[in-house]
Amino acid sequence: MQKKAIDAPINGDFTNKNILSIGQFSKKDIDILFNEAAATEKYVKKYDGTDLLKRKRLVNIFFEPSTRTSSSFHFAMEAHGGSVKTIENVAFSSVAKGETLQDTVRALEQYAHVTVIRHSEMGAVSVAAEVAQNPIINGGDGVGEHPTQALLDLFTIKQRLGHLDGITVTMVGDLKNGRTVHSLAQLLSHYGATLNYVSPKELTMPKSYTDPFKHKGIAQLEHQTLSGVLPKTDVLYVTRVQGERFLDPQEYERLKLTYTITPKVLKDAKKDMIIMHPLPRVGEIDTAVDSDPRAAYFEQMRYGMYVRMSLLALVLGRSIQK
Ligand code: NCD
């Protein structure tokens, strides 16, 4: 099978495409994916799983630690009847013997039909996609993007709020290094959202992610505190300060808990606002918030499985709706 340009637009057809960046998705592509995810959710709730990807194999190559994303892809593939091999501790693999990223990916894909890669360097997943034969899914590339997380975040918002148009989303935390918000902001720009970026001045949202959609007339507002922002917010998207990206450990210590969401902070928030987090959290949401009906961060993981099931199916040319 011949693959197109590595980051070709989806353009209504996911088959054999790499999923590297949110820039590949139009609103129509998101609709196709979300229709599939909603149908998949229904089916799985009724029958526990499907046979849609029976005899298909996924290789998950994680050059950076992950529990949530690797297990989410794992369960997604298994729930479609497929099988998975996850290589997590790359330090013990041939990479430790000096093998290149390209060779690792080309070798492991010989056993499988689709590959998920997470890497600590921005752009590394695209480098792998240049040489790969199978479709490559970006499971997070350093401080770059995390497209599948953004897609599941958006699906969660749709399921919880019932619509996506014209909402106000407040992203708080490490917007400089957090790859999930880089992808989510781009995705929300399709829906006329108002975007509040709340961060310390050292960790602001990079313009390279937001400038490309400036022409769409999306309101993008930077803040250093949450006060005044919460009463108008529909979705509060909290992120972890990404300690592993800091060169100076003291700077991390100083900034890591700039914002902590507690029941008291939420007093000003709308009654029907939702609170999201890609997880893991390391103190930025107090556990006392977990019982608040607005907390959606564990549910987000469940929706993530349906979205990743759908993405795997569509990339492999299948659909639960056929
Ligand atoms: C996120 C990631 O890896 O970027 N986690 C995830 O995929 N669930 C967020 C984070 O690590 O802070």
Side-chain angles (χ1 to χ4, degrees):
M1 235 185 305
Q2 195 58 42
K3 259 207 297 183
K4 315 234 171 49
I6 60 159
D7 58 350
I10 306 292
N11 211 3
D13 181 9
F14 288 71
T15 310
N16 216 30
K17 296 252 169 72
N18 299 312
I19 306 295
L20 299 178
S21 158
I22 284 301
Q24 293 170 263
F25 287 78
S26 67
K27 212 169 166 176
K28 184 176 152 228
D29 301 326
I30 299 163
D31 282 348
I32 295 172
L33 180 67
F34 285 5
N35 286 338
E36 180 72 13
T40 302
E41 177 179 10
K42 243 190 189 161
Y43 197 100
V44 171
K45 280 189 169 153
K46 198 160 169 196
Y47 301 108
D48 291 333
T50 89
D51 285 333
L52 197 63
L53 298 182
K54 200 171 168 183
R55 289 195 285 272
K56 295 288 183 191
R57 293 179 292 279
L58 160 69
V59 59
N60 250 341
I61 313 175
F62 281 71
F63 292 89
E64 208 186 46
S66 165
T67 313
R68 272 137 282 264
T69 304
S70 75
S71 51
S72 173
F73 273 109
H74 190 115
F75 285 117
M77 191 65 182
E78 281 193 353
H80 263 326
S83 60
V84 191
K85 171 72 184 166
T86 296
I87 291 101
E88 260 185 329
N89 225 331
V90 185
F92 297 114
S93 80
S94 290
V95 172
K97 302 180 190 167
E99 190 181 47
T100 63
L101 163 70
Q102 289 94 327
D103 276 9
T104 303
V105 171
R106 288 226 57 195
L108 291 168
E109 72 175 356
Q110 306 301 320
Y111 306 129
H113 303 93
V114 55
T115 307
V116 174
I117 304 175
R118 166 169 290 191
H119 201 282
S120 56
E121 272 171 52
M122 180 162 71
V125 181
S126 301
V127 168
E130 293 277 2
V131 298
Q133 299 293 309
N134 289 343
I136 299 287
I137 300 178
N138 180 0
D141 64 326
V143 297
E145 282 209 46
H146 196 348
T148 66
Q149 178 71 41
L151 290 162
L152 77 87
D153 292 338
L154 192 72
F155 186 68
T156 305
I157 297 172
K158 185 167 185 232
Q159 300 306 95
R160 282 288 289 246
L161 296 184
H163 74 104
L164 292 171
D165 289 311
I167 55 175
T168 296
V169 179
T170 297
M171 301 180 195
V172 56
D174 186 350
L175 308 183
K176 177 183 174 208
N177 300 307
R179 52 196 171 203
T180 68
V181 286
H182 299 164
S183 294
L184 185 60
Q186 294 177 70
L187 200 52
L188 286 163
S189 75
H190 287 297
Y191 299 90
T194 295
L195 302 177
N196 290 310
Y197 303 132
V198 183
S199 73
K201 59 182 185 321
E202 294 86 346
L203 301 177
T204 55
M205 178 70 100
K207 298 269 177 288
S208 54
Y209 291 106
T210 56
D211 275 353
F213 59 81
K214 247 178 155 174
H215 67 277
K216 287 186 171 175
I218 303 290
Q220 300 188 78
L221 309 159
E222 290 200 343
H223 311 262
Q224 283 185 30
T225 87
L226 271 172
S227 66
V229 177
L230 276 185
K232 295 189 211 105
T233 295
D234 300 303
V235 176
L236 178 63
Y237 192 94
V238 188
T239 67
R240 168 179 74 89
V241 175
Q242 311 273 304
E244 68 275 35
R245 313 287 179 213
F246 281 68
L247 296 174
D248 176 1
Q250 280 175 355
E251 179 164 72
Y252 170 63
E253 288 303 318
R254 184 169 61 80
L255 296 174
K256 69 178 184 191
L257 289 178
T258 310
Y259 311 97
T260 307
I261 309 303
T262 59
K264 192 166 160 231
V265 170
L266 292 171
K267 280 214 161 72
D268 282 350
K270 285 189 185 177
K271 293 278 160 281
D272 56 355
M273 184 189 80
I274 59 171
I275 308 157
M276 300 177 68
H277 192 304
L279 301 178
R281 67 175 153 181
V282 287
E284 55 286 331
I285 302 182
D286 190 328
T287 51
V289 174
D290 298 359
S291 55
D292 187 312
R294 293 172 288 191
Y297 27 94
F298 293 116
E299 210 176 316
Q300 218 173 318
M301 295 190 58
R302 183 160 46 79
Y303 286 130
M305 190 177 84
Y306 304 131
V307 171
R308 288 186 170 123
M309 284 176 80
S310 306
L311 208 51
L312 288 166
L314 293 171
V315 160
L316 293 172
R318 308 277 170 90
S319 165
I320 194 77
Q321 299 170 92
K322 281 182 196 140

